[in-house]
Amino acid sequence: MELTWRERRHRWDTRYAPYAYVAPYFLLFSVFGLFPLLYTAWVSLQDRNLLDGDAATFIGLDNYVQLLTADPYFWNAMGNTLSLWLFTTVPQILFALGIAQLLNRRLRGRTFFRMGVLLPNITSVAAVTIIFAQLFGRDFGLINWGLELFGAGRIDWQAGTASSHTAIAAMVVWRWTGYHALIFLASMQAIPSSVYEAARLDGANAWQQFWRITVPMLRPQIIFSTVIATAGNMRLLAEPLLFNPGSGAATGGSDRQFQTAALYLYEQGFAKFDFGYASAIAWLLLIATVAITGLSYLAARRIRTD
């Protein structure tokens, strides 16, 4: 039996309409995401100056070989990136769980506090970094003033590796903890209250309920936040760049003690104008981000929650 025009249109709509709905996303991604990614891969195979693109020379994998075998600054930057990842990801998740647990209780002005925890995330990263750089100032910083008040000595936060990483991690944790806390809070509110009532009848206190019920049931959200935090910290740029403003900002300190991989990319591409080398760094950073994010996801899934 031959189909009518209305039936054919309905069948076409059922079969092809979903692809038409998602097509704009893939079109925009191809223009603003996929093309720059592939073009960066092509540029990474060239000896190319940012100010003179016409004089580019194809050199194959030489940039990658140089990075992986003969560039200690690159490995120093990767080490700093991994260190800052540890300094920021774990505290973000732990603090976010604690804040979400507090906001999930019956408090006066809960809406105000829930909105307040998101304010650091919507604040300009430049403003946050400048303020924190002043707080961690060696001579007139509020942090050193507090240390001296309790009898401790001043710390030159920018001079050492551990101290500078602590200061930069404080900026990241302060800015992003509220974001993860709201994700956890929304998931906590979806946990049935009957589960907690049964636990109370069995004699479980609040601390046991949190670790034996709340945290295990937030496992998917914890994995999501871990992946998001990992991906964000692997491309950390603004905080270390503005932590030491001036002509040497791109080096991440006098001894490159807090230069991240993204900051090293910035130095090569926009301070030394070696666009081919910077593109190779970008691709290696992409590969490292995918690898570490995948490992973080697998590690988070394997954590025992029982």
Side-chain angles (χ1 to χ4, degrees):
M1 181 178 178
E2 186 177 355
L3 297 175
T4 65
W5 177 82
R6 185 182 296 275
E7 291 173 334
R8 288 197 301 269
R9 188 183 67 175
H10 176 72
R11 178 173 294 184
W12 181 92
D13 181 67
T14 304
R15 180 176 299 179
Y16 298 109
Y19 298 99
Y21 295 147
V22 299
Y25 164 78
F26 288 101
L27 179 62
L28 291 174
F29 174 76
S30 299
V31 175
F32 298 104
L34 184 60
F35 172 74
L37 192 66
L38 297 177
Y39 185 72
T40 301
W42 166 245
V43 173
S44 70
L45 304 177
Q46 301 175 355
D47 180 8
R48 181 170 186 156
N49 188 283
L50 181 62
L51 303 179
D52 190 11
D54 295 334
T57 304
F58 182 80
I59 58 174
L61 297 176
D62 288 358
N63 285 327
Y64 294 95
V65 174
Q66 173 72 17
L67 275 171
L68 296 174
T69 62
D71 191 347
Y73 292 151
F74 172 72
W75 291 111
N76 172 73
M78 288 300 297
N80 290 334
T81 302
L82 293 177
S83 174
L84 285 167
W85 169 66
L86 290 173
F87 271 63
T88 57
T89 301
V90 175
Q92 278 184 73
I93 302 302
L94 293 179
F95 289 154
L97 284 171
I99 293 173
Q101 179 69 5
L102 290 175
L103 294 178
N104 197 37
R105 302 171 67 90
R106 294 184 180 276
L107 299 173
R108 288 186 177 181
R110 284 189 301 177
T111 303
F112 171 78
F113 289 114
R114 290 172 182 177
M115 294 175 59
V117 296
L118 196 60
L119 288 178
N121 184 247
I122 63 177
T123 306
S124 168
V125 62
V128 171
T129 306
I130 291 173
I131 292 173
F132 269 82
Q134 297 297 319
L135 290 175
F136 285 97
R138 182 189 61 183
D139 297 321
F140 306 105
L142 185 62
I143 304 299
N144 277 342
W145 177 81
L147 292 176
E148 288 186 326
L149 193 64
F150 288 98
R154 293 173 179 261
I155 298 176
D156 190 350
W157 294 96
Q158 294 182 357
T161 300
S163 59
S164 60
H165 288 195
T166 301
I168 294 173
M171 306 177 199
V172 178
V173 171
W174 182 85
R175 189 163 182 263
W176 287 99
T177 296
Y179 169 81
H180 298 293
L182 288 184
I183 294 176
F184 296 154
L185 176 62
S187 301
M188 286 179 181
Q189 293 179 338
I191 300 176
S193 59
S194 58
V195 178
Y196 294 104
E197 293 173 359
R200 282 193 293 269
L201 291 176
D202 289 337
N205 57 35
W207 184 256
Q208 291 172 329
Q209 291 176 37
F210 177 71
W211 286 108
R212 297 301 182 105
I213 298 176
T214 305
V215 173
M217 297 191 75
L218 291 182
R219 188 176 181 180
Q221 289 72 33
I222 293 174
I223 294 174
F224 171 78
S225 290
T226 301
V227 170
I228 293 298
T230 300
N233 282 286
M234 289 298 294
R235 57 177 187 269
L236 199 61
L237 172 64
E239 287 84 353
L241 178 65
L242 298 176
F243 184 54
N244 182 31
S247 58
T251 61
S254 57
D255 198 30
R256 299 178 182 267
Q257 62 268 24
F258 54 90
Q259 185 182 52
T260 61
L263 187 55
Y264 187 54
L265 185 158
Y266 173 84
E267 179 191 11
Q268 294 297 321
F270 300 99
K272 297 183 178 179
F273 305 113
D274 193 343
F275 209 43
Y277 203 65
S279 298
I281 297 173
W283 260 90
L284 288 178
L285 184 58
L286 171 64
I287 295 171
T289 301
V290 172
I292 295 176
T293 301
L295 291 175
S296 299
Y297 173 77
L298 294 176
R301 289 197 60 180
R302 291 180 65 88
I303 292 177
R304 292 180 61 88
T305 58
D306 53 355

